Amino acid sequence: MLVYRLKVVMFAAFAKGYTKSGYNNEKGAVELEYVLAIFVGVGLSISAGFRLFTPLFLLSLTTKLGWMELGSGFEWLSSTPALIGFGVAVVIEIVCNYIPVVDNFMKTIAAPFALMAGTLLTVSVIGVDESPFLSWALAIIAGGGTATATQLTS
């Protein structure tokens, strides 16, 4: 099912044609937006493998400034308390990198948190309106998997 959906999306993105005003049908544009959301979500997840809270902070900041939209149910990421919390976590994470014992401890426990952060980042950008099962499966496999793999190899 997922492979079929990706084939349909890629066909819509490349075979339907692109004009200066955009795609020549609305369905192709919507499906291309879904593909771009997947790429953005996975890209954020990869960066969550390197620094756990920085992509969450940047996502919160960009949505707070109105530069990006989140899926329904994830508006809390753009709230002021979330922005402050992620900002404080980024500062703590940076400070912990300069204390070797704490840095080693943080890297030890970061893998499960990278999985959760990668999944959250991907699903919040993709949204769960159209197909919740597909969105969550893709977020766990692509988002959480890439964040964890990046965390374990860095």
Side-chain angles (χ1 to χ4, degrees):
M1 176 79 177
L2 178 64
V3 172
Y4 175 75
R5 174 75 177 152
L6 289 177
K7 284 181 183 178
V8 169
V9 168
M10 290 302 177
F11 175 77
F14 298 110
K16 298 226 178 185
Y18 183 77
T19 63
K20 285 192 174 206
S21 61
Y23 280 88
N24 55 13
N25 69 0
E26 190 173 305
K27 186 172 175 142
V30 169
E31 290 177 350
L32 180 62
E33 186 176 320
Y34 192 73
V35 169
L36 292 176
I38 292 170
F39 289 155
V40 168
V42 171
L44 286 169
S45 298
I46 290 170
S47 63
F50 291 115
R51 293 285 174 243
L52 192 59
F53 292 107
T54 304
L56 290 167
F57 174 72
L58 292 176
L59 180 67
S60 181
L61 182 65
T62 56
T63 55
K64 186 76 169 173
L65 295 174
W67 296 347
M68 198 169 172
E69 290 185 26
L70 297 174
S72 63
F74 295 97
E75 293 87 8
W76 63 271
L77 285 169
S78 63
S79 68
T80 303
L83 183 64
I84 293 169
F86 291 140
V88 169
V90 166
V91 171
I92 291 171
E93 186 176 31
I94 291 170
V95 169
C96 287
N97 286 333
Y98 292 107
I99 305 169
V101 174
V102 177
D103 184 42
N104 289 336
F105 176 72
M106 293 297 287
K107 287 188 182 214
T108 303
I109 64 169
F113 293 111
L115 173 71
M116 290 184 277
T119 301
L120 176 67
L121 287 164
T122 303
V123 80
S124 68
V125 174
I126 293 173
V128 292
D129 297 333
E130 195 172 304
S131 174
F133 177 75
L134 177 65
S135 297
W136 280 105
L138 187 63
I140 292 168
I141 295 167
T146 56
T148 305
T150 306
Q151 172 62 37
L152 292 175
T153 58
S154 65

